[in-house]
Amino acid sequence: MRAADAEYIRRVPLFRNMKDTSFETLVAAGYLQRFPDHVILLHEGEQPDFLHVIVEGAVEQFATHGDRETTLSIIGPPAALILAAVVLDRPYLTSARTLKPSLIVLIPAEAVRAVFDQDPAFARATIHEFANRYRAIVKDLKNMRLRPSIERLASWIFRANLDAGGTGRFLIPFEKRSLASQLGMRPENLSRNFAELARHGVKVNGREIRIEDADALERLARPDPLIDDPSV
Amino acid sequence: MRAADAEYIRRVPLFRNMKDTSFETLVAAGYLQRFPDHVILLHEGEQPDFLHVIVEGAVEQFATHGDRETTLSIIGPPAALILAAVVLDRPYLTSARTLKPSLIVLIPAEAVRAVFDQDPAFARATIHEFANRYRAIVKDLKNMRLRPSIERLASWIFRANLDAGGTGRFLIPFEKRSLASQLGMRPENLSRNFAELARHGVKVNGREIRIEDADALERLARPDPLIDDPSV
DNA sequence: CGTGCCATTGACCATTATCAAACGACGTGG
DNA sequence: CCACGTCGTTTGATAATGGTCAATGGCACG
């Protein structure tokens, strides 16, 4: 790995406070790799070989059973993929694919397990990473079970607008089918929900969303910090 | 806390390998408490004060939004409740109630955070606890999204039978309404699914379940280790 | 200009929830 | 010992929600 890459990775929260020597160990064994859009990174059921840390881009975790498939989460930087499988050396429970061109650090699973036994700061960072990912999935599950699909969409728009600066105008960052999958519905259903949202002050044109009646949207979305707020 | 209690708790995986001195610190600050059935242990939105470690019994984690409620998981010993909230010092995302009379260790959140900064073995155990809980919730989510309710029930029966020794005859360990909630359906739906399962070789009488055609049940359940097997 | 691919629309179906009523086991008090 | 409540469960009727299948539209890219 090039020195400039290492510098860059060093700022990821998971690595930020660890000892120089253990960071060197990980970096020496690791790769920084660029992946194009829509590439499968790993398959459920396989034994973990590398810890994947997302530096740039977006990755979808999904799972299949028979001929069904479902998205479990879409995660962006900075976050570790399949940390649990690496820690326990058990098979991946999910597959993963890129949703955008992505920059990903690959670190041999064995090196990760060895280092957090020796570096308390890394152990602490690992715990924090886990805690955050755990809470994220709990929020996803609550969202899924406590709201019908149109409310999930309304909440997503409400939050995406805030993240984009609250101007009432922003672009959907991936294909609509990915958005549908992330929100736990079919593309057809997403379309119908968009149509329905027109009557709540939301206009859609291609990937552009305009919010014309923020109050109406908020009444429908009923934002809940214990579901929607990533910083809670 | 009494010395006998401390001995008992010492065997919980989370505490098993930690240093004696840090175990003493936790135990000195903690309580071992017995709770009756159907008691609320904590409310979502509250700030964490104690880490709860389940030693005996069963606890349901649930969440609400407006007038809806959903069960996120039912966990039994040995497991830590709301570890993520304690680690990050953020509000609980879920509420919790006992489903059986339960024995629970309460350890002040501050003490937990202090100890895993000082005790590598405890930090490692915390990471493992997280990894296991994370994988459990991923499996729950997959189960929920990839199978209709009757298959979830069939899978649950299949697994519960194995856990009970594979005799084809066992008792449901809690009220049916709790089982329904755990499986993500309404009690009415559970009833109808039980009725339907009669045509797949499963007979129900009160809390007793008898499997009369194991093959038929298995065909319906389509067991999947990446969803159903707790040791994967 | 085709040719794909994503998105949309329409018709229909499957699954699950909701509301209401009846049933049945169980424990209490007459 | 039996009548009576209580509470969990079951059953029936109906509605909401979301999925499936099929056809069409529209846009980008060769």
Side-chain angles (χ1 to χ4, degrees):
Chain A
M1 197 185 297
R2 299 175 318 185
D5 293 341
E7 268 316 299
Y8 191 46
I9 295 163
R10 190 64 155 128
R11 295 195 207 115
V12 172
L14 189 57
F15 304 124
R16 190 177 293 154
N17 295 312
M18 68 194 300
K19 290 191 286 198
D20 285 335
T21 55
S22 22
F23 182 68
E24 298 303 331
T25 306
L26 291 187
V27 159
Y31 310 83
L32 182 69
Q33 203 167 330
R34 212 165 259 292
F35 292 92
D37 208 356
H38 291 286
V39 162
I40 302 267
L41 298 173
L42 37 96
H43 295 270
E44 59 181 303
E46 286 176 355
Q47 210 65 20
D49 43 4
F50 293 94
L51 175 67
H52 292 55
V53 180
I54 307 171
V55 176
E56 259 179 48
V59 173
E60 176 187 14
Q61 282 188 279
F62 65 100
T64 57
H65 177 66
D67 55 358
R68 293 164 189 261
E69 174 180 322
T70 187
T71 299
L72 294 164
S73 62
I74 293 184
I75 54 193
L81 268 183
I82 49 98
L83 188 50
V86 168
V87 165
L88 299 176
D89 196 21
R90 303 247 179 85
Y92 302 141
L93 296 178
T94 62
S95 305
R97 68 166 75 95
T98 55
L99 287 186
K100 300 180 180 180
S102 297
L103 190 60
I104 293 175
V105 187
L106 303 174
I107 299 173
E110 190 43 59
V112 176
R113 288 191 287 269
V115 166
F116 74 55
D117 278 355
Q118 294 161 8
D119 186 334
F122 185 59
R124 205 176 316 131
T126 302
I127 288 171
H128 277 240
E129 177 74 22
F130 258 125
N132 281 310
R133 302 235 35 78
Y134 185 79
R135 285 171 73 86
I137 202 173
V138 167
K139 287 176 199 161
D140 281 348
L141 187 49
K142 287 177 63 173
N143 194 30
M144 199 49 214
R145 301 265 292 250
L146 294 170
R147 283 176 173 149
S149 65
I150 191 166
E151 291 180 24
R152 296 200 294 278
L153 176 58
S155 300
W156 182 86
I157 292 173
F158 186 80
R159 164 64 43 183
N161 179 49
L162 286 185
D163 292 348
T167 61
R169 228 181 141 101
F170 66 96
L171 294 179
I172 302 170
F174 2 75
E175 290 181 346
K176 281 184 183 167
R177 53 167 33 179
S178 295
L179 177 60
S181 190
Q182 177 175 15
L183 294 174
M185 65 186 97
R186 299 282 136 169
E188 297 96 320
N189 202 358
L190 179 67
S191 266
R192 293 185 171 110
N193 282 327
F194 271 133
E196 175 67 24
L197 282 183
R199 299 208 265 106
H200 297 263
V202 176
K203 294 288 152 33
V204 182
N205 200 312
R207 286 212 186 166
E208 188 195 56
I209 292 188
R210 274 178 307 129
I211 300 170
E212 297 186 337
D213 184 344
D215 287 350
L217 176 63
E218 184 166 358
R219 274 195 303 279
L220 181 59
R222 283 192 293 162
D224 180 338
L226 298 181
I227 298 178
D228 303 307
D229 194 336
S231 68
V232 165
Chain B
M1 198 185 294
R2 299 174 317 185
D5 293 340
E7 268 316 298
Y8 191 46
I9 294 164
R10 190 64 156 127
R11 293 193 210 118
V12 173
L14 190 57
F15 303 124
R16 190 178 292 153
N17 295 313
M18 68 192 301
K19 289 191 287 199
D20 284 336
T21 55
S22 23
F23 182 68
E24 298 303 331
T25 307
L26 291 186
V27 158
Y31 311 82
L32 181 70
Q33 205 166 329
R34 213 166 258 290
F35 292 92
D37 208 357
H38 291 285
V39 162
I40 302 267
L41 298 173
L42 37 96
H43 295 269
E44 59 181 303
E46 286 176 355
Q47 210 65 21
D49 43 4
F50 293 94
L51 175 67
H52 292 55
V53 179
I54 308 171
V55 176
E56 258 181 48
V59 174
E60 175 187 15
Q61 281 189 281
F62 65 100
T64 57
H65 177 67
D67 55 359
R68 293 164 190 261
E69 174 179 322
T70 187
T71 300
L72 294 164
S73 62
I74 294 183
I75 54 193
L81 267 183
I82 49 99
L83 187 51
V86 168
V87 165
L88 298 175
D89 197 20
R90 303 250 178 83
Y92 302 140
L93 296 178
T94 63
S95 304
R97 68 166 76 95
T98 55
L99 287 186
K100 299 181 181 182
S102 298
L103 190 59
I104 292 174
V105 186
L106 303 174
I107 299 173
E110 190 43 57
V112 175
R113 287 191 289 267
V115 167
F116 73 56
D117 278 355
Q118 295 161 8
D119 185 334
F122 185 59
R124 205 175 317 132
T126 302
I127 288 171
H128 276 241
E129 177 74 20
F130 259 125
N132 281 310
R133 302 233 40 72
Y134 185 78
R135 284 171 73 87
I137 201 173
V138 167
K139 287 177 200 160
D140 281 348
L141 187 49
K142 287 175 63 172
N143 194 29
M144 196 52 212
R145 302 263 292 251
L146 294 171
R147 297 210 266 228
S149 64
I150 192 166
E151 291 180 23
R152 296 200 294 277
L153 176 58
S155 301
W156 182 86
I157 292 173
F158 187 79
R159 164 66 42 184
N161 179 49
L162 286 187
D163 293 347
T167 60
R169 230 183 138 100
F170 66 96
L171 293 179
I172 302 170
F174 6 72
E175 290 181 347
K176 283 185 183 167
R177 52 167 33 177
S178 295
L179 177 60
S181 190
Q182 177 176 14
L183 295 174
M185 65 187 97
R186 295 292 143 143
E188 296 95 321
N189 203 356
L190 179 67
S191 263
R192 293 185 227 276
N193 282 329
F194 271 133
E196 176 65 24
L197 283 183
R199 299 209 265 106
H200 297 262
V202 176
K203 295 289 150 42
V204 182
N205 201 312
R207 286 211 186 165
E208 188 194 55
I209 293 187
R210 274 178 306 130
I211 301 170
E212 298 186 337
D213 185 345
D215 288 348
L217 175 63
E218 184 165 359
R219 274 195 303 279
L220 181 61
R222 281 192 294 160
D224 180 338
L226 298 181
I227 298 178
D228 303 307
D229 193 337
S231 69
V232 166

